[in-house]
Amino acid sequence: MPQLRLKFIVPWCLLLICILYLALVRGFNGQPEVMMGESKAMFLGQCLTSNKPAALDTDGVLNVAVWNIYKQKRSSWQPQLKQILDKSELVLLQEAKLDQSLSDYLKQRRRHMVMGKGFKLLNTPMGVMNIASASVLDACAYQTVEPWIRFAKSTLISSYALSSGQTLLVINLHGINFDWKLDRFNAQWQQIVHKIALHHGPTIVAGDFNTWRPARIELVNELTARLKLKEVKYHRDQRQRVFGYPLDHLYYRGLHLVEAEAFETRASDHNPITARFTLMPVN
């Protein structure tokens, strides 16, 4: 009789644990939120706008960096991020953890921050983040839930003013991971495809795409080719790879690429990408 009771109790306990886990994670994910650190107060909502920001580029030159910062788990993240920020007008981070240490660090650097939250853990936002020399014109955050673990990954769609009078569209994307059929991975990309297709100015699409198998890379290549986006060519390519495939990418359109590289660091489990662009003449 005790064994019979155990047969019924264990499945019900597992079911209860699953229900509680899903409810808990749903609470962590919440709704898509974009956060801007332009003042003491954080502005929350799915989208935001800013008033008359300065141009992002410096005399027609735009230095961009892309880096999965691994939730700042490694002690050397601060000097590595400083090195990147000192040389870049725009830094796109994935797996940024907006705890007190990163918040204080950004205040000291006097840079403009905008973040698309994936989820909050112990009231600490985690997601993708842009750090820039100028404020955004506008920004919207989107979420895609991982099929198995149910935590959300975020996409941030933002735009910046350029000295040419054009608007730069910037997509910062952290691709979902646990999706074998790629339905949700494709859905995550469809969130941005329409936005890019409607934008006629310079465009950057970058981030940790989690392209660790051929089908993922093929999907990205198909969509970026359709949108006439080019992937940067690296004179040194030390991007993090899984099964031989690079995870991190930087695509562009409507800009002139001067140089790009991906260099090795111990400050994260991903290596940063840096690229220098110049603005193209406006017809």
Side-chain angles (χ1 to χ4, degrees), residues 208-228:
D208 172 7
F209 294 172
N210 275 315
T211 45
W212 46 266
R213 66 184 177 99
R216 287 172 169 261
I217 290 183
E218 287 166 10
L219 177 59
V220 172
N221 286 342
E222 177 189 338
L223 293 173
T224 53
R226 189 192 310 168
L227 295 165
K228 295 182 170 55

Side-chain angles (χ1 to χ4, degrees), residues 77-110:
W77 70 267
Q78 290 196 27
Q80 181 63 81
L81 183 56
K82 179 183 184 302
Q83 178 187 336
I84 293 170
L85 284 171
D86 286 346
K87 298 177 180 179
S88 306
E89 283 83 19
L90 177 64
V91 177
L92 308 181
L93 300 179
Q94 300 81 50
E95 288 197 35
K97 179 181 179 182
L98 191 56
D99 56 11
Q100 194 62 51
S101 63
L102 181 57
S103 181
D104 291 344
Y105 181 86
L106 294 174
K107 287 176 185 176
Q108 294 169 6
R109 301 298 301 169
R110 296 183 179 179

Side-chain angles (χ1 to χ4, degrees), residues 11 34 59 75-76 149 169 182:
V34 61
D59 299 325
S75 58
S76 54
I149 62 173
L169 179 68
L182 300 185

Side-chain angles (χ1 to χ4, degrees), residues 41-279:
M42 286 287 189
F43 299 86
L44 300 178
Q46 187 174 6
C47 296
L48 59 82
T49 58
S50 181
N51 294 322
K52 297 181 180 179
L56 179 64
D57 60 284
T58 303
D59 299 325
V61 177
L62 180 63
N63 294 285
V64 179
V66 184
W67 188 31
N68 182 321
I69 199 170
Y70 193 43
K71 303 181 184 73
Q72 302 99 254
K73 288 182 180 179
R74 297 188 178 172
S75 58
S76 54
W77 70 267
Q78 290 196 27
Q80 181 63 81
L81 183 56
K82 179 183 184 302
Q83 178 187 336
I84 293 170
L85 284 171
D86 286 346
K87 298 177 180 179
S88 306
E89 283 83 19
L90 177 64
V91 177
L92 308 181
L93 300 179
Q94 300 81 50
E95 288 197 35
K97 179 181 179 182
L98 191 56
D99 56 11
Q100 194 62 51
S101 63
L102 181 57
S103 181
D104 291 344
Y105 181 86
L106 294 174
K107 287 176 185 176
Q108 294 169 6
R109 301 298 301 169
R110 296 183 179 179
R111 291 294 187 102
H112 299 269
M113 181 276 287
V114 61
M115 179 179 190
K117 172 189 67 69
F119 59 91
K120 287 182 182 178
L121 201 56
L122 299 177
N123 209 34
T124 300
M126 302 190 192
V128 298
M129 176 185 291
N130 298 0
I131 307 172
S133 58
S135 178
V136 293
L137 283 165
D138 52 64
C140 288
Y142 298 86
Q143 291 175 323
T144 306
V145 175
E146 289 277 6
W148 293 102
I149 62 173
R150 306 306 296 172
F151 279 94
K153 284 193 167 65
S154 53
T155 302
L156 182 63
I157 302 177
S158 55
S159 58
Y160 293 86
L162 296 174
S163 61
S164 62
Q166 294 177 300
T167 298
L168 174 69
L169 179 68
V170 177
I171 314 290
N172 186 350
L173 183 148
H174 189 190
I176 63 168
N177 218 351
F178 305 100
D179 180 22
W180 187 255
K181 291 184 178 180
L182 300 185
D183 293 336
R184 288 181 183 265
F185 186 71
N186 182 53
Q188 185 180 28
W189 273 86
Q190 293 306 320
Q191 291 173 341
I192 68 174
V193 164
H194 184 63
K195 300 279 187 182
I196 300 170
L198 290 176
H199 181 71
H200 300 295
T203 304
I204 286 173
V205 181
D208 172 7
F209 294 172
N210 275 315
T211 45
W212 46 266
R213 66 184 177 99
R216 287 172 169 261
I217 290 183
E218 287 166 10
L219 177 59
V220 172
N221 286 342
E222 177 189 338
L223 293 173
T224 53
R226 189 192 310 168
L227 295 165
K228 295 182 170 55
L229 293 162
K230 301 177 183 177
E231 185 160 20
V232 299
K233 303 296 183 184
Y234 303 92
H235 73 263
R236 178 173 54 155
D237 187 356
Q238 294 183 316
R239 287 178 293 170
Q240 178 67 23
R241 284 171 164 77
V242 174
F243 305 127
Y245 300 104
L247 303 180
D248 307 292
H249 300 270
L250 172 53
Y251 287 84
Y252 69 100
R253 187 178 74 186
L255 296 164
H256 173 69
L257 176 65
V258 178
E259 60 179 354
E261 69 169 334
F263 61 88
E264 192 172 3
T265 182
R266 294 183 179 179
S268 171
D269 62 345
H270 286 246
N271 293 327
I273 294 170
T274 59
R276 173 169 292 188
F277 299 96
T278 56
L279 305 188

Side-chain angles (χ1 to χ4, degrees), residues 17-31:
I17 289 169
C18 288
I19 291 171
L20 290 173
Y21 175 80
L22 292 174
L24 193 64
V25 172
R26 192 178 297 116
F28 291 156
N29 291 340
Q31 297 299 312

